[in-house]
């Protein structure tokens, strides 16, 4: 089940305003152009920011997400009619022949077990054409990014159009090996409502990710740095193996 931050309609509607800086998507759009991809699969598309950006540039986009509330937000955006929206995940895709698949943001880290991650990778591979590419990012566990996820460093008050002022912050609840659980809290000034969303991410090292890709039928072509967060993440570029 998707986290409340994506699945609760009231939170999904304010997500774009709270997380307004999407400069992380620029490098992905550049890679779509670099590899000449005309058909892109956006796995974990959320509220559709990246999918709509690509569609505006003439790319044929299929966007999938398990959160109906997020997809409702996505479908209401300008240009959304040029995107094929699918409620589901990488394991429930219809037949596709995408040139390139993406998992932006924290999508690659929401698969907490080896089985779930392997199933997602195999689902993506089946949706790619021979020689197709998978591009995604994952945080370098050595940087221990969660040490910065506290109220002091994440607290913000955002004036959301149509909603009013919303106070928000993040705090870590538990760190157990590679699994980090944290809570986002949102306070709506208009009616005093307090909504929370607990999430867990799995932090995989570079070698672990590379091995999992090979086992799922990919060849790692490149591991890049994230331009917007240098030294903090691995950006994997993997091609379907055997071609």
């Amino acid at each position: 089940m998707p986290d409340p931050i994506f699945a609760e309609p009231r939170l999904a509607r304010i997500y774009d305003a709270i997380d307004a800086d999407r400069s992380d998507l620029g490098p992905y759009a550049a890679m779509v152009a670099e590899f000449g991809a005309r058909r892109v699969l956006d796995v974990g598309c959320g509220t559709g920011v990246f999918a709509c950006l690509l569609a505006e540039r003439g790319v044929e986009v299929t966007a999938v997400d398990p959160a109906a509330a997020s997809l409702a937000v996505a479908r209401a955006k300008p240009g959304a009619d040029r995107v094929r929206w699918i409620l589901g995940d990488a394991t429930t895709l219809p037949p596709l022949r995408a040139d390139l698949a993406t998992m932006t943001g924290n999508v690659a880290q929401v698969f907490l077990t080896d089985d779930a991650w392997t199933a997602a990778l195999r689902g993506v591979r089946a949706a790619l054409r021979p020689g197709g590419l998978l591009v995604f990012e994952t945080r370098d566990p050595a940087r221990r990014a969660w040490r910065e996820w506290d109220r002091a460093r994440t607290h913000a008050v955002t004036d959301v159009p149509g909603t009013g002022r919303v106070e928000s912050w993040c705090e870590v609840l538990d760190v157990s090996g590679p699994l980090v659980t944290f809570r986002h809290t949102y306070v709506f000034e208009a009616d005093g409502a307090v909504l929370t969303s607990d999430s867990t991410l799995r932090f995989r090292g570079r070698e672990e990710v590379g091995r999992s890709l090979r086992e799922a039928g990919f060849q790692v072509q490149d591991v890049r740095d994230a331009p917007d967060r240098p030294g903090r993440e691995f950006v994997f570029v993997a091609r379907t193996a055997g071609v």
Side-chain angles (χ1 to χ4, degrees):
M1 295 293 293
D3 300 333
I5 192 174
F6 308 112
E8 161 58 45
R10 191 169 187 181
L11 293 181
R13 287 193 293 269
I14 67 169
Y15 184 84
D16 289 341
I18 299 295
D19 189 25
D21 181 9
R22 295 312 310 271
S23 56
D24 62 305
L25 298 180
Y28 284 95
M31 281 189 281
V32 169
E34 174 188 347
F35 297 121
R38 303 307 306 159
R39 298 183 302 276
V40 172
L41 169 64
D42 185 13
V43 178
C45 66
T47 57
V49 175
F50 187 54
C52 288
L53 182 155
L54 292 181
E56 289 174 358
R57 300 182 181 188
V59 177
E60 181 183 318
V61 185
T62 298
V64 60
D65 199 277
S70 292
L71 285 184
V73 173
R75 289 189 174 106
K77 291 183 173 177
D81 59 325
R82 295 195 292 268
V83 178
R84 181 185 184 185
W85 305 101
I86 297 176
L87 178 64
D89 57 37
T91 68
T92 60
L93 292 169
L96 298 171
R97 286 179 62 86
D99 300 316
L100 184 146
T102 61
M103 287 188 281
T104 65
N106 294 322
V107 171
Q109 294 184 246
V110 304
F111 305 99
L112 304 185
T113 68
D114 292 340
D115 287 346
W117 176 232
T118 297
L121 290 177
R122 289 177 175 166
V124 170
R125 186 182 188 280
L128 289 169
R129 64 166 176 79
L133 293 166
L134 169 61
V135 180
F136 66 93
E137 65 190 61
T138 186
R139 296 172 185 264
D140 181 355
R143 294 300 299 266
R144 301 176 68 188
W146 59 87
R147 293 180 299 179
E148 300 175 6
W149 300 349
D150 56 37
R151 178 165 179 156
R153 279 175 279 202
T154 62
H155 180 269
V157 177
T158 307
D159 193 356
V160 180
T163 297
R165 287 160 58 89
V166 179
E167 182 183 13
S168 62
W169 66 88
C170 177
E171 54 193 336
V172 172
L173 302 180
D174 182 65
V175 180
S176 298
L179 302 180
V180 178
T181 300
F182 52 99
R183 173 174 294 161
H184 281 102
T185 299
Y186 304 89
V187 182
F188 292 76
E189 184 177 277
D191 60 2
V194 180
L195 298 182
T196 60
S197 177
D198 292 357
S199 303
T200 300
L201 297 179
R202 178 166 172 173
F203 286 71
R204 295 177 173 88
R206 177 170 175 165
E207 293 304 316
E208 181 183 1
V209 174
R211 182 172 60 254
S212 68
L213 285 166
R214 291 189 294 273
E215 291 173 351
F218 287 93
Q219 296 173 342
V220 177
Q221 300 289 290
D222 196 6
V223 182
R224 304 182 179 186
D225 202 3
D228 60 312
R229 282 164 282 187
R232 292 176 173 267
E233 299 181 351
F234 305 119
V235 179
F236 280 83
V237 179
R239 189 179 300 276
T240 54
V243 294

